[in-house]
Amino acid sequence: MRKGIVVTAQPGVEELAAQAEELGFSSFWVYDTPMLHGDPFVALGLCAKVTSRIKLGVGVTSPALRSIPAAASAFASLNALAPGRIICGVGTGNTARRTVGMPPATTAELERFTAGLQDLCAGGTVEYREGDQVRNIRLLHAGQHVNTTDPIEFLVAATGLKAAAVAGRRGTGIISFGLLDPAAWSAFHHTRQQAAGAPRDVDSYAMTSLHVLDEGEDPYGDAVRDATGHIVMSLLTFAADAPAFAEGLGVEERDAVRSLLDRRGTTTVAPDRHTALYPHYLGRIAPADRDLILPSLIDALALVGTRDDLLARIATLEQAGVNEIVIQPVIDPSTEMAELAKLTT
């Protein structure tokens, strides 16, 4: 099983990328959430200049965030800085759209956007629409400032089978956030293969958090909650913003969602709830919120256990078709990366 690192765009991100490469990680990712974090293309441009092997990924962009021409130019520009090392993750923009109080893109929009990016980044011509105006476009500066020769790896972000089918039709891999259920991954791969019609040499990436327990350490203690809380809080935040999803949770989890809303001073129907719910999203949680990091959600969304426990769980995911585990460190990224590197050595 390969391993990667995902971080928010932050000062010193290039130093983390260089360390990740030195430690043997396969990929280094930056989130694309404009209202929450810095720009991933700026961050990865810095990372490209100080690395030579590690893959650099945007996880993930969306048609609800960027136009096809702008996104294609950005990815092809990164590909000029790090030829053949760029990964383009594409999703509906679930989080990034919700941070501005708007719904995510549709699956159909996701597929059109992915197809357009694939064609433009390979030097092709695509049909571009704005309202009732349609034009054929291509990257006119190819060969100078952008690289359309070396391939870019494309992934579709999936939380359900519709997106997995898009991955199949577009011949891409899959990336999913907080999904550690081997049965779900098997279903994704079955759906992708059915939609593809033929086997494809593509990869699957699972993004999560990880904590290696010391001997006798409480698997739900403060250290674990601090290391995994951002993953758990992401689900609770989504549930607080999507009542239909929250209704499918258990009693304890629904109580945690209500507590989160109360603490943030908002409701599921307040038009400005995004301004209360999403600050510090995917950052280290506040100690006062540790009680919301429920054991059931830690077990479902994060990798926590002894070294042997974790290796066994990772092996099960690998058997289900996951090729790479991508971890977000939040407490001390440099130290956490070094500890993660030891896990499989």
Side-chain angles (χ1 to χ4, degrees), residues 51-66:
T51 59
S52 60
R53 176 197 59 80
I54 198 167
K55 288 191 172 184
L56 303 173
V58 174
V60 297
T61 197
S62 165
L65 295 177
R66 304 178 188 276

Side-chain angles (χ1 to χ4, degrees), residues 63-255:
L65 295 177
R66 304 178 188 276
S67 70
I68 288 177
S73 182
F75 279 104
S77 296
L78 280 180
N79 202 26
L81 297 177
R85 293 196 285 132
I86 302 305
I87 308 176
C88 171
V90 185
T92 59
N94 186 55
T95 297
R97 287 288 285 172
R98 290 182 183 279
T99 61
V100 294
M102 298 294 178
T106 65
T107 303
E109 290 169 332
L110 167 65
E111 186 161 3
R112 285 193 295 271
F113 184 73
T114 303
L117 282 186
Q118 288 176 304
D119 290 343
L120 285 175
C121 287
T125 298
V126 305
E127 188 177 83
Y128 175 63
R129 294 177 176 270
E130 288 189 8
D132 59 359
Q133 298 186 77
V134 182
R135 299 289 186 272
N136 288 328
I137 63 169
R138 60 184 174 87
L139 292 173
L140 301 176
H141 52 324
Q144 299 178 43
H145 306 292
V146 299
N147 177 0
T148 59
T149 301
D150 293 289
I152 291 174
E153 180 179 358
F154 283 87
L155 305 172
V156 167
T159 57
L161 298 182
K162 288 183 179 180
V166 171
R169 289 191 293 272
R170 296 310 314 161
T172 78
I174 291 175
I175 186 168
S176 195
F177 184 83
L179 183 69
L180 299 177
D181 179 5
W185 276 107
S186 295
F188 279 0
H189 295 141
H190 177 71
T191 299
R192 177 175 61 186
Q193 184 171 333
Q194 281 192 317
R200 299 270 189 160
D201 185 18
V202 292
D203 287 338
S204 294
Y205 297 75
M207 280 188 173
T208 184
S209 57
L210 181 147
H211 182 81
V212 183
L213 294 174
D214 293 329
E215 185 176 353
E217 183 181 358
D218 183 353
Y220 306 116
D222 287 350
V224 173
R225 292 172 191 248
D226 288 346
T228 65
H230 57 295
I231 300 291
V232 172
M233 194 65 79
S234 70
L235 182 139
L236 294 177
T237 302
F238 173 66
D241 200 21
F245 175 80
E247 286 303 311
L249 299 176
V251 173
E252 189 178 17
E253 290 79 11
R254 292 199 301 272
D255 287 343

Side-chain angles (χ1 to χ4, degrees), residues 13-37:
V13 66
E14 68 273 27
E15 297 170 9
L16 294 177
Q19 182 186 3
E21 180 170 89
E22 183 179 349
L23 289 170
F25 288 93
S26 296
S27 62
F28 187 86
W29 300 73
V30 177
Y31 292 121
D32 189 11
T33 44
M35 295 296 100
L36 291 175
H37 308 132

Side-chain angles (χ1 to χ4, degrees), residues 303-326:
L303 292 170
V304 176
T306 65
R307 184 177 188 276
D308 289 343
D309 292 338
L310 292 172
L311 291 177
R313 194 171 178 190
I314 289 170
T316 301
L317 286 167
E318 190 169 23
Q319 291 168 3
V322 176
N323 304 101
E324 187 160 336
I325 297 289
V326 181

